[in-house]
Amino acid sequence: MTTPAVPAPPRIPEAVHRRRWAILGVLMLSLLIVVLDNSILNVAIKTISTPAPTGLGATQGELEWAINAYTLVFAGLLFTAGLLGDRLGRKKVLVFGLVVFGLGSALAAESGSPLQLIIFRAIMGIGAAFVMPATLAVLMNVFERDEQPKAIGIWAGGVGIAIAIGPITGGLLLDHFWWGSVFLVNVPIVIIAVVLMLALVPDSRDPNPGRIDLVGVALSVVGLVLLVYGIIKGGQLADFTAPAVLLTSVAGLVVLVGFVLYEKRSDHPSIDITYFKNKVFSAAIAAIALVFFALMGVTFFSVFYTQSVRGYSPLQTGLLMLPLAAAQLIFAPRARLVVDRFGVRATTTGGLVILAAMLAAFTTLDADTPIWILEVIFFFMGTGMAHVMTPTSVVIMQALPREKAGSASALSNTFRQVGGALGIAVLGSVLSTAYRSGIEDKLGLLPAGLRHTAGESIEATLGIAAKLGPRGDALVGAANDSFLHAMHVTALCGAGIALVSAVVTVLFLPGRPPRAAAEESTEETVGVSR
């Protein structure tokens, strides 16, 4: 006789296990405000670019910085925030991050200039950096391993909820209140989230946390800011060979190389470079970064397409983005079932190919294209994203020990945010350069002092055309045509990036688990014998 195996005792305390789904709800609410902020801002960027008193009169470059000030600070501090959560307790770090985020939101709502908005957005990024990795780290510590993929799928679906709520909420607020209301709305959500966090969420920490790497944090932030500044400046000038562009971009790359070398030699690195020796882990991280590179860049220009070219209001634009959110909500929690059937590699690669095809489909959009075509594109973009985010998040989180959940989450979110920031900078600069090239010949009738300003973006051109009265009508048509051409070029660049990511996943992500394939083969054999 053989002694039956004794099942391993649950590692999650029973009291925590019973309220795990309520805890997941609180974590998703915390995640919601971090993602909600960017999705609301995407709808509001046209309003903020409008001159006072309606907006702040922000240029396209200032808009890019308003978005990237948040994402760069967010990305630069994620590792430190993850380590602090591992050391001090994830619940404490979560509450701190929510409070800072709420304070930054209140200040951003009262900004009197684009510069103030950029600074307060950076403060919001500090808060968000402490929220995002802690939510996923807490999740990994309240769910047993067999439930983690399902919980992560629901957590990823929270992004879809934010994508849905954000633009609609932003549109409603902009229809009835001033532009700052899109930031002020975060404050009551923060208050609710903090109260629920204190009541429900257990604290957890790494028993062997690492030391804080202040030098690494400084090098990563400085390097990223210099690189992104150079890219955005190149787009503004439509000249990537200008000395200011080359010097800052090269300096940023040099600092980032120095960051990697320092991390390799440090005994307490922000990023443990040895993690990247695992090809599966590296491929999953690369996939997330490249997906957000493509997606954030395309989202940036799609708002100008719907509002500036097509004439939709902010609320209508928010409603137009519902299919993207609906697809995320439908498919993100179910993506694990596709992984069980076909494996991580096939699921993720399929999602990336769908995303690339939809980005390329933007080249079919013109000023009078039936709007349902854009809705179909958005829906399939959301479908592709859902089948990339869930499996790659599971791969990343399960690649490291449970006590390193904060570090794994920070890695995932850092590369997501860096990818998104670079996507906005690079694809935004491609859009600016292509637009200026297209509109430049049409600006000859304007005074010399206005030509450069008018060529910065479609909003700048339309603003000057409005001041010219009937004489500006021809300029409106030229602006629309130039923007559509620039959008097509930018969309193809985004599609190319998504395809590169698909190649990475085909080469390095795992296929179907051998056990799953064997079980299916056994089931087929049994079926035949019957």
Side-chain angles (χ1 to χ4, degrees), residues 33-49 56 58 62-71 101 108-109 117-118 120-122 124 162-163 165-171 173-174 179-183 185-186 296 299-300 303-304 307 314 317 321 424:
I33 60 166
V34 173
V35 181
L36 183 78
D37 179 70
N38 268 339
S39 60
I40 283 182
L41 184 60
N42 285 335
V43 173
I45 53 178
K46 179 182 181 296
T47 305
I48 295 171
S49 69
L56 292 176
E62 288 170 334
L63 289 173
E64 291 176 32
W65 273 114
I67 297 172
N68 282 338
Y70 176 89
T71 53
F101 186 89
L117 178 61
I118 291 167
F120 297 142
R121 287 276 297 163
M124 293 171 68
I163 292 172
I165 294 174
I168 296 170
T169 304
L173 290 169
L174 291 171
W179 64 268
S181 61
V182 302
F183 298 109
V185 72
N186 292 331
M296 292 295 288
T299 303
F300 184 78
V303 173
F304 287 101
Q307 293 188 37
T317 296
M321 296 181 75
I424 291 168

Short mmCIF file of all heavy atoms in Angstrom, two decimals, residues 33-49 56 58 62-71 101 108-109 117-118 120-122 124 162-163 165-171 173-174 179-183 185-186 296 299-300 303-304 307 314 317 321 424:
data_model
loop_
_atom_site.label_atom_id
_atom_site.label_comp_id
_atom_site.label_asym_id
_atom_site.label_seq_id
_atom_site.Cartn_x
_atom_site.Cartn_y
_atom_site.Cartn_z
N ILE A 33 -7.91 54.54 -10.62
CA ILE A 33 -7.64 55.98 -10.69
C ILE A 33 -6.32 56.26 -11.40
O ILE A 33 -6.18 57.30 -12.05
CB ILE A 33 -7.64 56.64 -9.30
CG1 ILE A 33 -6.59 56.02 -8.38
CG2 ILE A 33 -9.00 56.57 -8.66
CD1 ILE A 33 -6.34 56.84 -7.14
N VAL A 34 -5.35 55.34 -11.29
CA VAL A 34 -4.06 55.54 -11.96
C VAL A 34 -4.24 55.49 -13.48
O VAL A 34 -3.73 56.33 -14.22
CB VAL A 34 -3.04 54.49 -11.49
CG1 VAL A 34 -1.76 54.58 -12.29
CG2 VAL A 34 -2.75 54.66 -10.00
N VAL A 35 -5.00 54.49 -13.95
CA VAL A 35 -5.22 54.35 -15.39
C VAL A 35 -6.25 55.36 -15.88
O VAL A 35 -6.14 55.92 -16.96
CB VAL A 35 -5.67 52.92 -15.72
CG1 VAL A 35 -5.89 52.74 -17.21
CG2 VAL A 35 -4.66 51.91 -15.21
N LEU A 36 -7.27 55.60 -15.03
CA LEU A 36 -8.34 56.55 -15.36
C LEU A 36 -7.77 57.91 -15.71
O LEU A 36 -8.22 58.56 -16.66
CB LEU A 36 -9.28 56.67 -14.16
CG LEU A 36 -10.52 57.54 -14.28
CD1 LEU A 36 -11.60 56.80 -15.05
CD2 LEU A 36 -11.06 57.92 -12.91
N ASP A 37 -6.74 58.33 -14.98
CA ASP A 37 -6.19 59.66 -15.18
C ASP A 37 -5.69 59.86 -16.60
O ASP A 37 -5.98 60.87 -17.24
CB ASP A 37 -5.05 59.90 -14.18
CG ASP A 37 -4.43 61.27 -14.38
OD1 ASP A 37 -5.08 62.26 -14.06
OD2 ASP A 37 -3.30 61.33 -14.88
N ASN A 38 -4.93 58.87 -17.12
CA ASN A 38 -4.41 59.02 -18.47
C ASN A 38 -5.51 58.91 -19.52
O ASN A 38 -5.49 59.60 -20.53
CB ASN A 38 -3.33 57.97 -18.75
CG ASN A 38 -1.94 58.51 -18.43
OD1 ASN A 38 -1.74 59.72 -18.38
ND2 ASN A 38 -0.99 57.63 -18.20
N SER A 39 -6.51 58.03 -19.29
CA SER A 39 -7.57 57.88 -20.28
C SER A 39 -8.46 59.12 -20.31
O SER A 39 -8.96 59.52 -21.36
CB SER A 39 -8.40 56.61 -20.01
OG SER A 39 -9.00 56.65 -18.74
N ILE A 40 -8.67 59.77 -19.15
CA ILE A 40 -9.40 61.04 -19.13
C ILE A 40 -8.61 62.11 -19.85
O ILE A 40 -9.14 62.88 -20.66
CB ILE A 40 -9.68 61.48 -17.67
CG1 ILE A 40 -10.84 60.68 -17.07
CG2 ILE A 40 -10.03 62.96 -17.61
CD1 ILE A 40 -11.20 61.09 -15.67
N LEU A 41 -7.31 62.18 -19.58
CA LEU A 41 -6.47 63.21 -20.18
C LEU A 41 -6.44 63.10 -21.69
O LEU A 41 -6.40 64.11 -22.41
CB LEU A 41 -5.04 63.13 -19.62
CG LEU A 41 -4.07 64.22 -20.09
CD1 LEU A 41 -4.58 65.60 -19.69
CD2 LEU A 41 -2.69 64.00 -19.51
N ASN A 42 -6.50 61.86 -22.21
CA ASN A 42 -6.49 61.70 -23.66
C ASN A 42 -7.65 62.43 -24.33
O ASN A 42 -7.52 62.96 -25.42
CB ASN A 42 -6.56 60.20 -24.02
CG ASN A 42 -5.23 59.51 -23.80
OD1 ASN A 42 -4.19 60.14 -23.83
ND2 ASN A 42 -5.27 58.21 -23.56
N VAL A 43 -8.82 62.44 -23.67
CA VAL A 43 -9.97 63.15 -24.22
C VAL A 43 -9.83 64.66 -24.03
O VAL A 43 -10.31 65.44 -24.85
CB VAL A 43 -11.27 62.66 -23.54
CG1 VAL A 43 -12.47 63.49 -23.95
CG2 VAL A 43 -11.52 61.19 -23.88
N ALA A 44 -9.13 65.06 -22.98
CA ALA A 44 -9.05 66.48 -22.62
C ALA A 44 -7.92 67.23 -23.33
O ALA A 44 -7.88 68.46 -23.26
CB ALA A 44 -8.88 66.63 -21.11
N ILE A 45 -7.01 66.52 -24.02
CA ILE A 45 -5.83 67.22 -24.55
C ILE A 45 -6.19 68.30 -25.56
O ILE A 45 -5.54 69.34 -25.63
CB ILE A 45 -4.79 66.24 -25.15
CG1 ILE A 45 -5.42 65.30 -26.17
CG2 ILE A 45 -4.10 65.46 -24.06
CD1 ILE A 45 -4.43 64.36 -26.83
N LYS A 46 -7.24 68.07 -26.34
CA LYS A 46 -7.64 69.11 -27.31
C LYS A 46 -8.14 70.35 -26.57
O LYS A 46 -7.81 71.48 -26.93
CB LYS A 46 -8.71 68.59 -28.25
CG LYS A 46 -9.18 69.63 -29.28
CD LYS A 46 -10.27 69.09 -30.16
CE LYS A 46 -10.71 70.15 -31.19
NZ LYS A 46 -11.30 71.34 -30.54
N THR A 47 -8.94 70.15 -25.52
CA THR A 47 -9.46 71.28 -24.74
C THR A 47 -8.32 72.03 -24.07
O THR A 47 -8.30 73.28 -24.07
CB THR A 47 -10.45 70.78 -23.67
OG1 THR A 47 -11.48 70.02 -24.30
CG2 THR A 47 -11.07 71.94 -22.92
N ILE A 48 -7.35 71.30 -23.50
CA ILE A 48 -6.22 71.95 -22.83
C ILE A 48 -5.36 72.73 -23.83
O ILE A 48 -4.75 73.74 -23.49
CB ILE A 48 -5.37 70.90 -22.08
CG1 ILE A 48 -6.20 70.29 -20.94
CG2 ILE A 48 -4.09 71.50 -21.51
CD1 ILE A 48 -5.55 69.09 -20.27
N SER A 49 -5.35 72.28 -25.10
CA SER A 49 -4.56 73.00 -26.11
C SER A 49 -5.26 74.26 -26.61
O SER A 49 -4.65 75.10 -27.27
CB SER A 49 -4.28 72.07 -27.30
OG SER A 49 -5.47 71.79 -28.03
N LEU A 56 -5.55 75.95 -21.67
CA LEU A 56 -4.29 76.58 -21.28
C LEU A 56 -3.47 77.05 -22.48
O LEU A 56 -2.40 77.61 -22.30
CB LEU A 56 -3.46 75.61 -20.44
CG LEU A 56 -4.00 75.25 -19.05
CD1 LEU A 56 -3.10 74.21 -18.40
CD2 LEU A 56 -4.09 76.49 -18.17
N ALA A 58 -1.90 75.09 -24.55
CA ALA A 58 -0.70 74.25 -24.58
C ALA A 58 -0.36 73.84 -26.00
O ALA A 58 -1.24 73.50 -26.79
CB ALA A 58 -0.90 73.01 -23.72
N GLU A 62 4.06 70.68 -25.36
CA GLU A 62 3.68 70.80 -23.94
C GLU A 62 2.67 69.72 -23.55
O GLU A 62 2.69 69.20 -22.44
CB GLU A 62 3.11 72.20 -23.67
CG GLU A 62 4.17 73.28 -23.69
CD GLU A 62 3.59 74.69 -23.67
OE1 GLU A 62 2.45 74.88 -24.14
OE2 GLU A 62 4.30 75.61 -23.23
N LEU A 63 1.78 69.37 -24.49
CA LEU A 63 0.84 68.28 -24.23
C LEU A 63 1.58 66.96 -24.04
O LEU A 63 1.25 66.16 -23.16
CB LEU A 63 -0.17 68.15 -25.38
CG LEU A 63 -1.22 69.26 -25.50
CD1 LEU A 63 -2.03 69.07 -26.78
CD2 LEU A 63 -2.14 69.27 -24.28
N GLU A 64 2.56 66.73 -24.89
CA GLU A 64 3.35 65.50 -24.77
C GLU A 64 4.06 65.47 -23.42
O GLU A 64 4.14 64.42 -22.76
CB GLU A 64 4.35 65.39 -25.91
CG GLU A 64 3.70 65.13 -27.28
CD GLU A 64 4.70 65.13 -28.42
OE1 GLU A 64 5.86 64.74 -28.21
OE2 GLU A 64 4.33 65.54 -29.53
N TRP A 65 4.55 66.62 -22.97
CA TRP A 65 5.23 66.67 -21.67
C TRP A 65 4.23 66.52 -20.52
O TRP A 65 4.57 65.94 -19.48
CB TRP A 65 6.02 67.97 -21.52
CG TRP A 65 7.39 67.84 -22.08
CD1 TRP A 65 7.91 68.50 -23.15
CD2 TRP A 65 8.42 66.96 -21.62
NE1 TRP A 65 9.19 68.08 -23.38
CE2 TRP A 65 9.54 67.15 -22.46
CE3 TRP A 65 8.51 66.05 -20.58
CZ2 TRP A 65 10.73 66.45 -22.30
CZ3 TRP A 65 9.70 65.34 -20.41
CH2 TRP A 65 10.79 65.55 -21.26
N ALA A 66 3.01 67.03 -20.69
CA ALA A 66 2.00 66.86 -19.64
C ALA A 66 1.71 65.38 -19.42
O ALA A 66 1.47 64.94 -18.29
CB ALA A 66 0.72 67.60 -20.01
N ILE A 67 1.74 64.60 -20.51
CA ILE A 67 1.54 63.16 -20.39
C ILE A 67 2.82 62.48 -19.90
O ILE A 67 2.80 61.66 -18.98
CB ILE A 67 1.11 62.56 -21.75
CG1 ILE A 67 -0.25 63.15 -22.17
CG2 ILE A 67 1.01 61.04 -21.67
CD1 ILE A 67 -0.66 62.78 -23.58
N ASN A 68 3.94 62.87 -20.48
CA ASN A 68 5.20 62.17 -20.18
C ASN A 68 5.81 62.56 -18.84
O ASN A 68 6.57 61.77 -18.26
CB ASN A 68 6.21 62.40 -21.31
CG ASN A 68 5.92 61.53 -22.51
OD1 ASN A 68 5.27 60.50 -22.40
ND2 ASN A 68 6.40 61.93 -23.67
N ALA A 69 5.49 63.74 -18.32
CA ALA A 69 5.98 64.09 -16.97
C ALA A 69 5.45 63.07 -15.97
O ALA A 69 6.15 62.66 -15.03
CB ALA A 69 5.52 65.49 -16.59
N TYR A 70 4.23 62.67 -16.17
CA TYR A 70 3.60 61.65 -15.32
C TYR A 70 4.25 60.29 -15.53
O TYR A 70 4.68 59.63 -14.59
CB TYR A 70 2.11 61.61 -15.66
CG TYR A 70 1.29 60.56 -14.96
CD1 TYR A 70 0.69 60.83 -13.74
CD2 TYR A 70 1.07 59.32 -15.54
CE1 TYR A 70 -0.10 59.88 -13.10
CE2 TYR A 70 0.29 58.37 -14.91
CZ TYR A 70 -0.30 58.65 -13.70
OH TYR A 70 -1.07 57.71 -13.08
N THR A 71 4.33 59.87 -16.80
CA THR A 71 4.80 58.51 -17.07
C THR A 71 6.29 58.33 -16.78
O THR A 71 6.71 57.26 -16.33
CB THR A 71 4.51 58.11 -18.53
OG1 THR A 71 5.03 59.10 -19.41
CG2 THR A 71 3.03 58.00 -18.77
N PHE A 101 -1.14 60.96 -4.86
CA PHE A 101 -1.84 61.07 -6.15
C PHE A 101 -3.04 62.01 -6.04
O PHE A 101 -3.27 62.85 -6.92
CB PHE A 101 -2.29 59.68 -6.59
CG PHE A 101 -2.89 59.64 -7.96
CD1 PHE A 101 -2.09 59.44 -9.08
CD2 PHE A 101 -4.25 59.80 -8.15
CE1 PHE A 101 -2.64 59.42 -10.36
CE2 PHE A 101 -4.80 59.77 -9.42
CZ PHE A 101 -3.99 59.57 -10.53
N ALA A 108 -3.21 69.88 -9.90
CA ALA A 108 -3.27 69.92 -11.36
C ALA A 108 -4.56 70.60 -11.83
O ALA A 108 -4.56 71.32 -12.84
CB ALA A 108 -3.18 68.51 -11.94
N ALA A 109 -5.65 70.38 -11.10
CA ALA A 109 -6.93 70.98 -11.47
C ALA A 109 -6.89 72.50 -11.43
O ALA A 109 -7.65 73.17 -12.14
CB ALA A 109 -8.03 70.46 -10.54
N LEU A 117 0.94 72.66 -14.97
CA LEU A 117 0.28 71.37 -15.21
C LEU A 117 1.32 70.25 -15.31
O LEU A 117 1.13 69.17 -14.75
CB LEU A 117 -0.56 71.43 -16.48
CG LEU A 117 -1.28 70.13 -16.87
CD1 LEU A 117 -2.25 69.71 -15.78
CD2 LEU A 117 -2.01 70.30 -18.21
N ILE A 118 2.42 70.52 -16.01
CA ILE A 118 3.49 69.52 -16.16
C ILE A 118 4.07 69.15 -14.79
O ILE A 118 4.27 67.97 -14.47
CB ILE A 118 4.58 70.05 -17.11
CG1 ILE A 118 4.04 70.13 -18.55
CG2 ILE A 118 5.83 69.16 -17.06
CD1 ILE A 118 4.92 70.92 -19.50
N PHE A 120 2.66 69.48 -11.73
CA PHE A 120 1.69 68.76 -10.89
C PHE A 120 1.41 67.36 -11.42
O PHE A 120 1.12 66.44 -10.65
CB PHE A 120 0.41 69.58 -10.75
CG PHE A 120 0.60 70.90 -10.06
CD1 PHE A 120 -0.07 72.04 -10.48
CD2 PHE A 120 1.49 71.02 -8.99
CE1 PHE A 120 0.12 73.26 -9.84
CE2 PHE A 120 1.69 72.22 -8.34
CZ PHE A 120 1.00 73.36 -8.78
N ARG A 121 1.50 67.19 -12.73
CA ARG A 121 1.37 65.85 -13.30
C ARG A 121 2.53 64.96 -12.82
O ARG A 121 2.36 63.76 -12.60
CB ARG A 121 1.35 65.92 -14.82
CG ARG A 121 0.07 66.47 -15.40
CD ARG A 121 -0.99 65.40 -15.54
NE ARG A 121 -0.56 64.37 -16.46
CZ ARG A 121 -1.11 63.17 -16.55
NH1 ARG A 121 -2.09 62.83 -15.75
NH2 ARG A 121 -0.66 62.29 -17.42
N ALA A 122 3.72 65.56 -12.68
CA ALA A 122 4.86 64.80 -12.17
C ALA A 122 4.60 64.34 -10.73
O ALA A 122 4.95 63.21 -10.35
CB ALA A 122 6.13 65.64 -12.25
N MET A 124 1.69 63.72 -9.47
CA MET A 124 0.74 62.60 -9.61
C MET A 124 1.48 61.31 -9.98
O MET A 124 1.12 60.22 -9.53
CB MET A 124 -0.31 62.93 -10.67
CG MET A 124 -1.24 64.07 -10.28
SD MET A 124 -2.30 64.61 -11.65
CE MET A 124 -3.35 63.18 -11.84
N ALA A 162 -11.24 51.16 -16.71
CA ALA A 162 -10.73 52.54 -16.68
C ALA A 162 -10.75 53.16 -18.07
O ALA A 162 -11.08 54.34 -18.22
CB ALA A 162 -9.32 52.56 -16.11
N ILE A 163 -10.40 52.36 -19.09
CA ILE A 163 -10.42 52.87 -20.46
C ILE A 163 -11.84 53.26 -20.85
O ILE A 163 -12.06 54.23 -21.58
CB ILE A 163 -9.84 51.83 -21.44
CG1 ILE A 163 -8.34 51.65 -21.19
CG2 ILE A 163 -10.08 52.22 -22.89
CD1 ILE A 163 -7.71 50.52 -21.97
N ILE A 165 -14.46 54.02 -18.58
CA ILE A 165 -14.99 55.09 -17.73
C ILE A 165 -14.28 56.41 -18.00
O ILE A 165 -14.91 57.47 -18.02
CB ILE A 165 -14.85 54.70 -16.25
CG1 ILE A 165 -15.74 53.50 -15.93
CG2 ILE A 165 -15.22 55.87 -15.33
CD1 ILE A 165 -15.56 52.97 -14.53
N GLY A 166 -12.96 56.35 -18.22
CA GLY A 166 -12.17 57.57 -18.35
C GLY A 166 -12.65 58.53 -19.42
O GLY A 166 -13.02 59.68 -19.11
N PRO A 167 -12.67 58.12 -20.70
CA PRO A 167 -13.08 59.06 -21.74
C PRO A 167 -14.51 59.57 -21.59
O PRO A 167 -14.79 60.74 -21.84
CB PRO A 167 -12.94 58.22 -23.02
CG PRO A 167 -11.95 57.16 -22.69
CD PRO A 167 -12.21 56.85 -21.24
N ILE A 168 -15.43 58.68 -21.14
CA ILE A 168 -16.82 59.11 -20.98
C ILE A 168 -16.94 60.11 -19.83
O ILE A 168 -17.59 61.15 -19.94
CB ILE A 168 -17.74 57.90 -20.74
CG1 ILE A 168 -17.73 56.98 -21.96
CG2 ILE A 168 -19.17 58.34 -20.43
CD1 ILE A 168 -18.39 55.66 -21.75
N THR A 169 -16.27 59.78 -18.71
CA THR A 169 -16.27 60.70 -17.57
C THR A 169 -15.65 62.04 -17.96
O THR A 169 -16.19 63.11 -17.65
CB THR A 169 -15.49 60.10 -16.39
OG1 THR A 169 -16.04 58.82 -16.06
CG2 THR A 169 -15.55 61.00 -15.17
N GLY A 170 -14.52 61.96 -18.67
CA GLY A 170 -13.86 63.19 -19.12
C GLY A 170 -14.75 64.01 -20.03
O GLY A 170 -14.85 65.24 -19.90
N GLY A 171 -15.44 63.33 -20.95
CA GLY A 171 -16.33 64.04 -21.87
C GLY A 171 -17.49 64.71 -21.14
O GLY A 171 -17.84 65.86 -21.42
N LEU A 173 -17.56 65.66 -17.98
CA LEU A 173 -17.04 66.77 -17.19
C LEU A 173 -16.73 67.99 -18.05
O LEU A 173 -17.06 69.12 -17.69
CB LEU A 173 -15.77 66.33 -16.43
CG LEU A 173 -15.99 65.32 -15.29
CD1 LEU A 173 -14.65 64.77 -14.82
CD2 LEU A 173 -16.73 65.98 -14.13
N LEU A 174 -16.12 67.75 -19.23
CA LEU A 174 -15.77 68.87 -20.10
C LEU A 174 -16.99 69.53 -20.72
O LEU A 174 -16.95 70.70 -21.09
CB LEU A 174 -14.81 68.39 -21.20
CG LEU A 174 -13.41 67.98 -20.71
CD1 LEU A 174 -12.64 67.32 -21.83
CD2 LEU A 174 -12.65 69.19 -20.18
N TRP A 179 -11.85 72.60 -17.67
CA TRP A 179 -10.94 71.50 -17.99
C TRP A 179 -10.32 70.86 -16.74
O TRP A 179 -10.03 69.66 -16.71
CB TRP A 179 -9.82 71.97 -18.92
CG TRP A 179 -8.91 73.00 -18.31
CD1 TRP A 179 -9.02 74.35 -18.37
CD2 TRP A 179 -7.77 72.74 -17.48
NE1 TRP A 179 -8.04 74.96 -17.64
CE2 TRP A 179 -7.24 73.98 -17.09
CE3 TRP A 179 -7.15 71.58 -17.05
CZ2 TRP A 179 -6.12 74.10 -16.28
CZ3 TRP A 179 -6.02 71.69 -16.24
CH2 TRP A 179 -5.53 72.94 -15.86
N GLY A 180 -10.12 71.65 -15.67
CA GLY A 180 -9.48 71.12 -14.46
C GLY A 180 -10.31 70.06 -13.75
O GLY A 180 -9.79 69.30 -12.93
N SER A 181 -11.61 69.99 -14.08
CA SER A 181 -12.47 68.99 -13.42
C SER A 181 -12.04 67.56 -13.75
O SER A 181 -12.34 66.64 -12.98
CB SER A 181 -13.92 69.20 -13.83
OG SER A 181 -14.08 69.05 -15.24
N VAL A 182 -11.32 67.36 -14.87
CA VAL A 182 -10.89 66.00 -15.22
C VAL A 182 -9.84 65.48 -14.24
O VAL A 182 -9.61 64.27 -14.16
CB VAL A 182 -10.36 65.92 -16.68
CG1 VAL A 182 -11.41 66.37 -17.66
CG2 VAL A 182 -9.08 66.72 -16.85
N PHE A 183 -9.18 66.39 -13.53
CA PHE A 183 -8.22 65.97 -12.49
C PHE A 183 -8.88 65.95 -11.11
O PHE A 183 -8.60 65.08 -10.29
CB PHE A 183 -7.02 66.91 -12.47
CG PHE A 183 -6.24 66.90 -13.76
CD1 PHE A 183 -6.25 68.00 -14.61
CD2 PHE A 183 -5.50 65.79 -14.12
CE1 PHE A 183 -5.55 67.98 -15.80
CE2 PHE A 183 -4.79 65.76 -15.31
CZ PHE A 183 -4.81 66.86 -16.15
N VAL A 185 -11.76 65.12 -10.28
CA VAL A 185 -12.61 63.94 -10.09
C VAL A 185 -11.86 62.80 -9.39
O VAL A 185 -12.47 61.93 -8.77
CB VAL A 185 -13.18 63.47 -11.45
CG1 VAL A 185 -12.09 62.83 -12.30
CG2 VAL A 185 -14.34 62.49 -11.25
N ASN A 186 -10.52 62.82 -9.47
CA ASN A 186 -9.73 61.77 -8.81
C ASN A 186 -9.83 61.82 -7.28
O ASN A 186 -9.70 60.80 -6.61
CB ASN A 186 -8.25 61.89 -9.19
CG ASN A 186 -7.99 61.58 -10.64
OD1 ASN A 186 -8.71 60.80 -11.25
ND2 ASN A 186 -6.96 62.19 -11.21
N MET A 296 0.01 53.71 -27.00
CA MET A 296 -0.05 55.07 -26.46
C MET A 296 0.18 56.11 -27.55
O MET A 296 -0.46 57.16 -27.57
CB MET A 296 0.97 55.24 -25.34
CG MET A 296 0.66 54.44 -24.09
SD MET A 296 -0.85 54.97 -23.26
CE MET A 296 -0.32 56.54 -22.57
N THR A 299 -3.11 56.23 -29.59
CA THR A 299 -4.19 56.86 -28.83
C THR A 299 -4.02 58.37 -28.82
O THR A 299 -5.01 59.12 -28.90
CB THR A 299 -4.20 56.34 -27.38
OG1 THR A 299 -4.33 54.92 -27.40
CG2 THR A 299 -5.35 56.92 -26.59
N PHE A 300 -2.77 58.83 -28.76
CA PHE A 300 -2.48 60.26 -28.74
C PHE A 300 -3.04 60.95 -29.99
O PHE A 300 -3.68 61.99 -29.91
CB PHE A 300 -0.97 60.48 -28.63
CG PHE A 300 -0.56 61.92 -28.51
CD1 PHE A 300 -0.69 62.58 -27.30
CD2 PHE A 300 -0.03 62.61 -29.58
CE1 PHE A 300 -0.31 63.92 -27.18
CE2 PHE A 300 0.35 63.93 -29.47
CZ PHE A 300 0.22 64.58 -28.26
N VAL A 303 -7.32 60.99 -30.80
CA VAL A 303 -8.17 62.02 -30.22
C VAL A 303 -8.25 63.23 -31.14
O VAL A 303 -9.32 63.82 -31.33
CB VAL A 303 -7.66 62.43 -28.83
CG1 VAL A 303 -8.44 63.61 -28.28
CG2 VAL A 303 -7.75 61.25 -27.87
N PHE A 304 -7.13 63.62 -31.75
CA PHE A 304 -7.15 64.75 -32.67
C PHE A 304 -7.92 64.40 -33.94
O PHE A 304 -8.57 65.25 -34.54
CB PHE A 304 -5.72 65.18 -33.02
CG PHE A 304 -5.04 65.89 -31.89
CD1 PHE A 304 -4.13 65.24 -31.08
CD2 PHE A 304 -5.32 67.22 -31.61
CE1 PHE A 304 -3.50 65.89 -30.03
CE2 PHE A 304 -4.71 67.88 -30.56
CZ PHE A 304 -3.79 67.22 -29.76
N GLN A 307 -11.74 64.60 -32.80
CA GLN A 307 -12.22 65.92 -32.40
C GLN A 307 -11.87 67.02 -33.40
O GLN A 307 -12.73 67.83 -33.74
CB GLN A 307 -11.64 66.28 -31.02
CG GLN A 307 -12.18 65.38 -29.91
CD GLN A 307 -11.79 65.85 -28.53
OE1 GLN A 307 -11.73 67.05 -28.24
NE2 GLN A 307 -11.50 64.91 -27.64
N PRO A 314 -15.79 66.13 -26.81
CA PRO A 314 -15.06 65.23 -25.90
C PRO A 314 -15.91 64.05 -25.43
O PRO A 314 -15.43 62.92 -25.35
CB PRO A 314 -14.68 66.15 -24.74
CG PRO A 314 -14.57 67.50 -25.35
CD PRO A 314 -15.64 67.54 -26.41
N THR A 317 -16.27 61.60 -28.22
CA THR A 317 -15.00 60.89 -28.39
C THR A 317 -14.87 59.78 -27.34
O THR A 317 -14.43 58.67 -27.65
CB THR A 317 -13.82 61.87 -28.26
OG1 THR A 317 -13.89 62.83 -29.33
CG2 THR A 317 -12.49 61.15 -28.34
N MET A 321 -14.72 55.47 -27.92
CA MET A 321 -13.68 54.56 -27.44
C MET A 321 -14.24 53.39 -26.63
O MET A 321 -13.49 52.53 -26.17
CB MET A 321 -12.66 55.35 -26.60
CG MET A 321 -11.91 56.39 -27.39
SD MET A 321 -10.69 57.29 -26.42
CE MET A 321 -9.40 56.07 -26.28
N ILE A 424 4.65 57.82 -27.06
CA ILE A 424 4.09 59.17 -27.23
C ILE A 424 5.15 60.11 -27.79
O ILE A 424 4.88 60.92 -28.68
CB ILE A 424 3.56 59.70 -25.88
CG1 ILE A 424 2.31 58.91 -25.47
CG2 ILE A 424 3.24 61.19 -25.97
CD1 ILE A 424 1.88 59.15 -24.05
#
